[in-house]
Amino acid sequence: SQTIHQWPATLVQPVGSPLSLECTVEGTSNPNLYWYRQAAGRGLQLLFYSVGIGQISSEVPQNLSASRPQDRQFILSSKKLLLSDSGFYLCGVRVNSYEQYFGPGTRLTVT
Amino acid sequence: SQKIEQNSEALNIQEGKTATLTCNYTNYSPAYLQWYRQDPGRGPVFLLLIRENEKEKRKERLKVTFDTTLKQSLFHITASQPADSATYLCAGNNAGNMLTFGGGTRLMVKP
């Protein structure tokens, strides 16, 4: 079975600073990878997904970007954080085209 | 737009009773619905998937129904336990086979 790692677990960053969140996956090859954001008490909002190395699709236009430099590595970045970027960021892997599995998440607070 | 809606109010029940959570979908017809459990500060965990041609699916103390007439799925936990306390998320696939998530319902089971 697959294991999803995310780091850091928590992050406090000032407005205007850059961001880099990393997700790595073990136990599967050529996975479909996803970045979601969850605001407090809300559902998951899909930000980006990738079906292969270098292939990124954006669901929501914003100041975030994603990259997939290796098969099992997915990175979420920003050049300048906004207050509205605060939230719980989850990396996901799709299994069997149906079930979605998630990493432990990164809690980002922009101050 | 396509929506998955869940009761945002917390559901409080007594241990041993059956918990019933509701998920309604609007403006589209998902081919399947999924239910996830999310504990505070953790990523969601996949529980069950039910397809539109399936009326009901069971897994241990869990039961899910899919009513295409009412555009609704019900999620039941029988003989509930305090350990079942968590937020439960409903998700439906959309045209691109991405998942649209509801906001979740928080369940509190009191001993």
Side-chain angles (χ1 to χ4, degrees), chain A residues 34 36 38 41-46 49 59 88 90 94 97-105 107, chain B residues 32 34 36 38 40-46 49 51 89 93 96-104:
Chain A
Y34 303 80
Y36 289 88
Q38 185 175 34
R42 306 288 297 274
L44 277 65
Q45 178 188 32
L46 178 63
Y49 68 94
E59 289 293 305
F88 191 47
L90 288 157
R94 205 76 180 269
S97 297
Y98 295 111
E99 303 158 23
Q100 181 96 59
Y101 289 85
F102 294 90
R107 173 77 58 192
Chain B
Y32 57 85
Q34 303 184 5
Y36 293 78
Q38 186 174 25
R42 308 288 293 273
V45 175
F46 172 80
L49 178 151
R51 293 179 172 80
L89 302 172
N93 71 305
N97 205 31
M98 296 296 141
L99 291 177
T100 298
F101 281 84

Side-chain angles (χ1 to χ4, degrees), chain B residues 18-21 48 61-65 74-78:
Chain B
T18 296
T20 299
L21 285 67
L48 281 169
R61 295 185 295 112
L62 308 180
K63 184 179 83 171
V64 174
T65 62
L74 297 179
F75 176 80
H76 305 272
I77 306 176
T78 58

Side-chain angles (χ1 to χ4, degrees), chain A residues 24-44:
Chain A
T24 58
V25 180
E26 296 177 358
T28 184
S29 58
N30 196 29
N32 287 352
L33 297 174
Y34 303 80
W35 277 112
Y36 289 88
R37 178 171 62 202
Q38 185 175 34
R42 306 288 297 274
L44 277 65

Side-chain angles (χ1 to χ4, degrees), chain B residues 39-68:
Chain B
D39 292 290
R42 308 288 293 273
V45 175
F46 172 80
L47 296 175
L48 281 169
L49 178 151
I50 184 166
R51 293 179 172 80
E52 61 178 343
N53 62 348
E54 298 174 314
K55 295 277 189 220
E56 179 180 299
K57 184 166 277 189
R58 293 174 185 261
K59 179 182 176 183
E60 297 174 350
R61 295 185 295 112
L62 308 180
K63 184 179 83 171
V64 174
T65 62
F66 196 153
D67 189 325
T68 55

Side-chain angles (χ1 to χ4, degrees), chain B residues 6-23:
Chain B
Q6 298 181 253
N7 191 344
S8 60
E9 291 184 16
L11 177 64
N12 294 290
I13 65 168
Q14 205 66 34
E15 181 178 8
K17 301 292 185 183
T18 296
T20 299
L21 285 67
T22 304
C23 170

